[in-house]
């Protein structure tokens, strides 16, 4: 393995990038523990002279748990159905190769990749009003499912194609139905891809801003990114409190990332490089 | 695989048991198809129809002929928004691609410390655009931000208050957010290049730089196209980041098309003209994707060349 060679340029870029990433992150965390006076007077990179949890207390007392729950409901409510139906569609597209209908369906999903779906937000808004779903969490969930389908189907078809045809043939000889093969053969073999797609879509929905902004209205329906934005408007003078809210909204994802990092990174690399 | 495909098609055409079988899987695609049609394709047609109507977002919808198109296309704000959109698209592509490529190649190495660095590299990917925008707004504040705190005059500028600086900040922040994702794509691409090619090149006496330009770069052609397509089409949807960071300002300096659509539609209650902008966004996205695919040649050719 002579792949491991000196790569000065890559190395320099690597360390430079580390600085570019870590400086703002360090600054957010350090500043969120300072009181206002300390934030304005101290060197921005110095550790807080008098560390305080007041900022965090303020954020948590301002309905943070409710926004957190809304984000959890919207994210789970999107990825579970989205991944399930995208998996079924990907299975059909691979197993039904040759069917003109399925080729057309696949083409439609691929086209979805090239279209900025946010551009359809005005008719989606109209549709949600007509369905009497405006200002509900379901109003965010339904379009989120639809928007996550194109990429999920692409990644999942790539994985299901790798399942050897002979396995399907021998199961068919044993009298298995397509539904049975989907459950007992394709599902376990594509589990890594399913996890990848769930994480990828989950991140997009958790961090989504446009759909909650347009499709909901009342404060009780806010998700975290939107709450962050309104909070920033209310506390524009209290920068440490705003930064504490940034930390709090990001922390759950960072913890999940720390746990599932290997899966996320290897899945994404494999999913996109084909 | 190429040999099997025509046979299947032929048999399917004869509607024998084989065709019945592919018909029996087709229903599994229906749930995904249904929701994608309702919330993706129908609105795509709907936005075109709405562009010929007058609607304030609440009341009744009235037909308006081509008046929206006429007014938007003759609005001097449109060329400006187009210019800003493409400026940010091209410059952020030019910043992100070399950096992602370098990082991807770097990360494809398998030393321990690189794996450790990779943990930290990808944190920006986890933050919401709103969180990132809020952070940079505070960080770049001329009075309380980094520059003022460190007493560095060149940093203590009014970054978001001056036209050229604001665009630079948007490009920097976009790159900060998305370079991790693209370097990941490149890392995957680099790992698929057969090591034998490098071994052969080393035996022929090719140096590191030569190998990069003669092997790595050409082998990554399709990865570059994939990544560029995602970057370019994705840049059309930069809304939340710019909305929170600059709200399109100063003046209209960072008012990209997606933001223009939002402001016309949901702030000025002019859904018709906003729909015109949305149609333009769709057309530009499709055109860019087609151009990029043309650059890469057809997909079958790509697979043969890659093999």
């Amino acid at each position: 393995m002579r792949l491991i060679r000196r790569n000065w340029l890559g190395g320099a870029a690597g360390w430079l990038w580390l600085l570019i990433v870590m400086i703002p992150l360090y600054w957010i965390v350090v500043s969120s523990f300072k009181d206002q006076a300390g934030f304005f007077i101290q060197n921005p990179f110095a550790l807080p002279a008098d560390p305080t949890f007041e900022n965090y207390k303020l954020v948590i007392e301002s309905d943070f748990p409710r926004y957190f729950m809304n984000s959890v409901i919207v994210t789970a409510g999107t990825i579970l159905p989205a991944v399930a139906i995208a998996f079924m569609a990907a299975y059909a597209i691979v197993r039904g190769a040759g069917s003109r209908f399925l080729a057309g369906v696949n083409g439609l999903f691929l086209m979805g990749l090239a279209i900025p779906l946010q551009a359809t937000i005005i008719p989606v808004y109209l549709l949600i009003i007509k369905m009497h779903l405006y200002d509900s969490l379901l109003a965010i969930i339904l379009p989120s499912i639809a928007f996550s389908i194109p990429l999920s189907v692409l990644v999942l078809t790539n994985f299901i194609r790798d399942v050897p045809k002979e396995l399907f043939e021998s199961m068919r000889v044993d009298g298995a139905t397509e539904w049975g093969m989907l459950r007992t053969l394709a599902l376990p073999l594509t589990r890594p891809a399913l996890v990848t797609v769930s994480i990828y879509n989950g991140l997009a929905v958790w961090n989504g801003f446009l759909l909650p902004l347009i499709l909901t209205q009342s404060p009780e329906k806010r998700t975290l990114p939107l709450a962050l934005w309104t909070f920033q408007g209310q506390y524009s003078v209290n920068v440490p409190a705003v930064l504490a809210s940034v930390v709090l909204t990001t922390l759950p994802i960072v913890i999940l990332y720390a746990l599932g990092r290997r899966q996320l990174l290897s899945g994404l690399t494999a999913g996109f490089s084909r | 695989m190429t040999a099997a495909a025509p046979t299947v098609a032929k048999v399917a055409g004869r509607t024998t048991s084989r065709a019945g079988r592919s018909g029996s899987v087709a229903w599994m695609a229906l749930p995904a198809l249904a929701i994608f049609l309702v919330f993706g394709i129908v609105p795509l047609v709907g936005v075109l129809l709405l562009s010929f109507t007058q609607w304030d977002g609440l009341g009744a919808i009235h037909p308006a002929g081509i008046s929206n198109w006429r007014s938007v296309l003759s609005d001097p704000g449109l060329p400006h928004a187009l210019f800003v959109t493409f400026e940010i698209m091209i410059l952020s592509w030019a910043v992100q691609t070399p950096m992602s490529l370098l990082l991807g190649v770097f990360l494809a190495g398998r030393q321990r410390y690189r794996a450790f660095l990779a943990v930290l590299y990808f944190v920006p990917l986890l933050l919401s655009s709103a969180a990132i925008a809020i952070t940079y707004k505070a960080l770049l504040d001329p009075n309380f931000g980094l520059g003022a705190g460190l007493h560095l005059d060149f940093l203590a500028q009014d970054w978001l208050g001056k036209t050229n600086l604001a665009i630079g900040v948007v490009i920097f922040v976009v790159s900060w957010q998305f370079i991790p994702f693209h370097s990941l794509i490149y890392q995957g691409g680099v790992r698929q290049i057969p090591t034998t090619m490098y071994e052969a090149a080393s035996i022929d006496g090719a140096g590191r730089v030569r190998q990069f330009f003669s092997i790595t770069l050409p082998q990554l052609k399709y990865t570059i196209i994939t990544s560029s397509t995602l970057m370019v089409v994705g840049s059309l949807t930069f809304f939340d980041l710019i909305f929170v960071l600059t709200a399109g300002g100063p003046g209209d300096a960072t008012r990209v098309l997606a933001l223009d659509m939002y402001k016309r539609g949901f702030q000025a209650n002019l859904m018709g003209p906003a729909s015109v902008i949305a149609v333009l966004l769709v057309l530009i996205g499709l055109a860019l994707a087609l151009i990029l695919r043309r650059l890469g040649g057809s997909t079958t050719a790509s697979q043969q060349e890659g093999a």
Side-chain angles (χ1 to χ4, degrees):
Chain A
M1 273 286 286
R2 289 295 311 169
L3 241 185
I4 302 172
R5 290 158 309 178
R6 278 194 203 88
N7 176 357
W8 293 114
L9 203 54
W15 291 104
L16 174 70
W17 181 249
L18 188 68
L19 275 180
I20 294 175
V21 169
M22 293 318 290
I23 287 175
L25 294 177
Y26 170 82
W27 178 79
I28 301 173
V29 175
V30 170
S31 306
S32 71
F33 288 104
K34 292 178 179 172
D35 56 22
Q36 285 205 58
F39 176 77
F40 291 129
I41 296 163
Q42 269 194 301
N43 176 315
F45 291 115
L47 290 171
D50 191 12
T52 170
F53 279 98
E54 281 306 310
N55 305 314
Y56 287 93
K57 221 178 115 199
L58 179 69
V59 177
I60 288 174
E61 280 167 1
S62 66
D63 266 350
F64 179 87
R66 167 181 282 162
Y67 307 140
F68 181 85
M69 272 320 290
N70 285 346
S71 277
V72 169
I73 293 167
V74 167
T75 307
T78 300
I79 55 174
L80 294 177
V83 172
I85 63 179
F87 177 65
M88 282 167 63
Y91 179 87
I93 286 165
V94 173
R95 290 288 296 154
S99 148
R100 226 186 254 170
F101 169 71
L102 287 169
V105 171
N106 194 27
L108 203 63
F109 291 153
L110 287 177
M111 193 183 75
L113 285 174
I115 294 174
L117 282 173
Q118 280 82 348
T120 62
I121 192 70
I122 295 170
V124 167
Y125 169 72
L126 176 61
L127 206 62
I128 290 291
I129 293 177
K130 293 277 178 216
M131 295 167 96
H132 300 288
L133 290 173
Y134 181 73
D135 202 24
S136 70
L137 293 182
L138 200 58
I140 310 174
I141 291 173
L142 292 176
S144 297
I145 295 176
F147 287 8
S148 65
I149 282 177
L151 196 84
S152 307
V153 171
L154 176 78
V155 171
L156 291 173
T157 43
N158 277 337
F159 270 84
I160 299 175
R161 274 201 193 100
D162 284 353
V163 179
K165 286 217 167 51
E166 294 75 24
L167 292 177
F168 286 109
E169 293 309 324
S170 63
M171 278 191 78
R172 170 150 295 280
V173 172
D174 292 342
T177 61
E178 290 290 348
W179 183 247
M181 290 192 277
L182 174 140
R183 277 193 5 252
T184 54
L185 181 58
L187 186 66
L189 287 178
T190 41
R191 186 160 291 159
L194 289 168
V195 176
T196 299
V197 168
S198 307
I199 298 173
Y200 183 82
N201 291 329
L203 262 180
V205 178
W206 182 268
N207 287 333
F209 186 82
L210 182 68
L211 295 177
L213 176 71
I214 286 177
L215 302 175
T216 65
Q217 189 178 32
S218 45
E220 310 88 73
K221 298 289 166 12
R222 263 176 214 149
T223 55
L224 286 177
L226 208 56
L228 200 60
W229 176 62
T230 45
F231 191 75
Q232 181 230 203
Q234 281 165 25
Y235 290 88
S236 52
V237 223
N238 192 349
V239 183
V242 171
L243 294 174
S245 69
V246 169
V247 173
L248 277 178
T249 58
T250 310
L251 204 59
I253 299 295
V254 172
I255 293 170
L256 287 178
Y257 172 65
L259 298 174
R261 182 184 61 88
R262 208 166 287 261
Q263 180 75 54
L264 171 74
L265 297 188
S266 64
L268 283 181
T269 353
F272 283 100
S273 58
R274 300 180 202 211
Chain B
M1 209 192 106
T2 32
T7 342
V8 175
K10 214 187 289 167
V11 179
R14 257 191 270 138
T15 66
T16 55
S17 64
R18 188 69 192 248
R21 217 168 91 192
S22 71
S24 75
V25 240
W27 68 269
M28 290 189 191
L30 292 181
L33 180 65
I35 194 158
F36 189 66
L37 281 178
V38 173
F39 289 99
I41 302 301
V42 168
L44 203 58
V45 179
V47 79
L48 184 64
L49 295 176
L50 282 174
S51 75
F52 296 102
T53 66
Q54 216 173 38
W55 182 39
D56 62 3
L58 292 167
I61 303 174
H62 302 289
I66 57 164
S67 62
N68 294 324
W69 283 87
R70 202 179 279 154
S71 74
V72 170
L73 293 179
S74 62
D75 181 346
L78 180 70
H80 175 74
L82 277 169
F83 176 78
V84 176
T85 305
F86 281 107
E87 185 182 17
I88 290 176
M89 177 192 291
I90 292 166
L91 291 179
S92 66
W93 179 86
V95 171
Q96 290 181 75
T97 301
M99 192 67 186
S100 308
L101 195 59
L102 275 176
L103 280 175
V105 172
F106 173 69
L107 285 171
R110 292 179 193 273
Q111 292 100 322
R112 259 266 171 73
Y113 79 98
R114 295 188 189 190
F116 171 72
L117 289 181
V119 178
L120 302 173
Y121 281 171
F122 296 106
V123 176
L125 212 57
L126 310 175
L127 275 68
S128 68
S129 297
I132 293 174
I134 288 168
T135 300
Y136 273 98
K137 234 168 120 174
L139 200 59
L140 295 173
D141 190 290
N143 301 314
F144 323 117
L146 214 52
L150 293 172
H151 306 292
L152 293 170
D153 286 341
F154 77 96
L155 259 177
Q157 305 197 47
D158 189 7
W159 289 99
L160 297 171
K162 290 186 186 147
T163 304
N164 287 331
L165 291 180
I167 287 188
V169 170
V170 168
I171 290 165
F172 177 86
V173 177
V174 161
S175 308
W176 192 84
Q177 185 174 17
F178 291 109
I179 282 177
F181 179 70
H182 293 280
S183 62
L184 202 63
I185 297 180
Y186 283 114
Q187 181 191 347
V190 172
R191 287 216 169 133
Q192 288 191 340
I193 302 174
T195 46
T196 48
M197 295 183 84
Y198 290 104
E199 283 159 12
S202 300
I203 293 168
D204 290 345
R208 286 280 307 150
V209 178
R210 184 68 202 278
Q211 287 181 23
F212 178 79
F213 285 103
S214 312
I215 300 173
T216 312
L217 221 45
Q219 286 288 314
L220 286 179
K221 186 177 170 194
Y222 299 103
T223 314
I224 294 172
I225 287 169
T226 305
S227 154
S228 299
T229 308
L230 292 172
M231 267 183 209
V232 159
V233 176
S235 78
L236 292 176
T237 66
F238 290 161
F239 166 78
D240 31 11
L241 185 86
I242 299 178
F243 180 70
V244 179
L245 189 65
T246 67
D252 278 341
T254 54
R255 183 167 173 152
V256 291
L257 279 177
L259 195 66
D260 195 47
M261 176 187 81
Y262 175 81
K263 288 195 158 180
R264 285 175 197 258
F266 295 94
Q267 285 182 352
N269 297 322
L270 298 167
M271 292 296 179
S275 300
V276 173
I277 304 287
V279 173
L280 294 177
L281 272 173
V282 171
L283 292 178
I284 294 171
L286 273 178
L288 287 169
L290 286 177
I291 291 168
L292 280 161
R293 189 187 279 182
R294 190 54 64 80
L295 281 179
S298 76
T299 37
T300 44
S302 83
Q303 274 157 6
Q304 278 159 9
E305 261 175 63

